[in-house]
Amino acid sequence: MFGPERDRESDAGDRNNDAYGWIDRMAPDLLRASRELVENNEAARVSDDAVAQILTAAIRLYVAKSDGEERTFAPIAGRNDSELTPTELLSAVSEMLRAMRLGPMELALWYRRRPDEDTHSAGERS
């Protein structure tokens, strides 16, 4: 089955012959390794270029999936701040905005509510 009816979270068997299946297989290792490097104060072992490439790839894939599939999904692993602290997230967002010569005003203009968010309180009508 193809299209929206197809399960978006294919099982690992479906990806064995996929040229990009290695991404799904390596993602948990990458997350674990990043956690260990930070916990052991060894993040310097990974080059700036590698971090930039990983971050760029992750952003590109997230936007392509959410826009192309017309849906959103949690962009951060874990629940709440189990993987990232608010400080880590906001530091990265600030630097990404700066790298693209954007500021908080542009972020505010592009900010959008998720389609699955309830924008009205229970019982209120617009």
Side-chain angles (χ1 to χ4, degrees):
M1 193 182 282
F2 297 97
E5 299 84 24
R6 182 181 163 106
D7 181 16
R8 296 186 200 295
E9 296 296 324
S10 300
D11 63 346
D14 289 349
R15 301 213 188 256
N16 285 338
N17 294 319
D18 184 331
Y20 299 103
W22 63 269
I23 297 171
D24 284 331
R25 291 188 301 274
M26 296 304 294
D29 291 337
L30 180 59
L31 181 61
R32 180 187 43 73
S34 70
R35 189 183 312 119
E36 290 171 2
L37 286 164
V38 170
E39 287 173 358
N40 295 326
N41 200 26
E42 295 180 335
R45 293 177 65 182
V46 180
S47 71
D48 295 355
D49 285 342
V51 173
Q53 290 172 25
I54 293 165
L55 193 54
T56 301
I59 292 166
R60 178 175 288 135
L61 288 171
Y62 182 82
V63 171
K65 287 184 66 63
S66 62
D67 286 355
E69 297 174 9
E70 296 180 357
R71 67 186 184 96
T72 59
F73 58 94
I76 306 296
R79 293 183 51 108
N80 300 326
D81 62 353
S82 67
E83 285 295 337
L84 286 180
T85 67
T87 299
E88 289 171 319
L89 177 71
L90 292 173
S91 293
V93 168
S94 295
E95 288 306 314
M96 287 186 286
L97 288 171
R98 192 172 286 119
M100 297 297 293
R101 299 180 195 270
L102 300 171
M105 181 59 124
E106 287 86 3
L107 179 60
L109 291 171
W110 276 88
Y111 184 82
R112 63 180 178 176
R113 290 201 177 271
R114 292 176 35 192
D116 57 342
E117 278 185 323
D118 181 12
T119 58
H120 301 285
S121 300
E124 288 185 17
R125 290 162 51 153
S126 55

